[in-house]
Amino acid sequence: MLASQFRGRIAALFGRRPSVEVRPLEPSSAELCYGLHRQCFAHAWSPTEFETLTASSANLADGAYIEGTSELVGFVVSRIVAGEAEILTIAVEPRLRGQGLGRQLLQAHMAALVSKKVGAVFLEVEDTNAAALALYARTGFEQIG
């Protein structure tokens, strides 16, 4: 794990985006999700909440990992109901923001939702979160309320 953390730091220091792979999150990743969520939000969800979310067949959870490692640098969790999905949360490690990882993660997640026959995706975002609003606009979301 030291090597993967070191590689991520080097990429961040030199402004290069690290190579990531998006793959499904498992309940065993609950502690990693909690740690990352805690860095990104004032009120972090608990490891138990992440374990429940990732174990539920009603949810889709994807993680972005530094390629070839188990270093989680981002994740997104959605709930699917009757052909629609709601993105419950998305997080990208603060030191890697602004490098396209959120978009890569969201695009992979959206493709997975489409493969599950989801026809509409909804989310809520604070109107003061300019970075999130820009990300969602770049990926085709439109404000409806």
Side-chain angles (χ1 to χ4, degrees), residues 58-71:
N59 298 330
L60 180 67
D62 291 311
Y65 296 86
I66 298 292
E67 193 170 26
T69 75
S70 60
E71 183 180 351

Side-chain angles (χ1 to χ4, degrees), residues 72-131:
L72 182 68
V73 294
F75 64 85
V76 59
V77 180
S78 294
R79 176 169 293 130
I80 302 169
V81 177
E84 296 182 345
E86 178 185 9
I87 294 177
L88 302 176
T89 191
I90 182 170
V92 172
E93 188 172 317
R95 70 181 167 97
L96 298 175
R97 289 182 184 158
Q99 298 181 39
L101 296 177
R103 185 184 332 188
Q104 181 181 353
L105 175 60
L106 189 56
Q107 287 173 334
H109 188 71
M110 298 290 283
L113 288 170
V114 167
S115 75
K116 293 189 172 290
K117 308 293 187 227
V118 169
V121 180
F122 301 91
L123 59 86
E124 290 187 28
V125 62
E126 292 184 24
D127 59 3
T128 58
N129 190 340

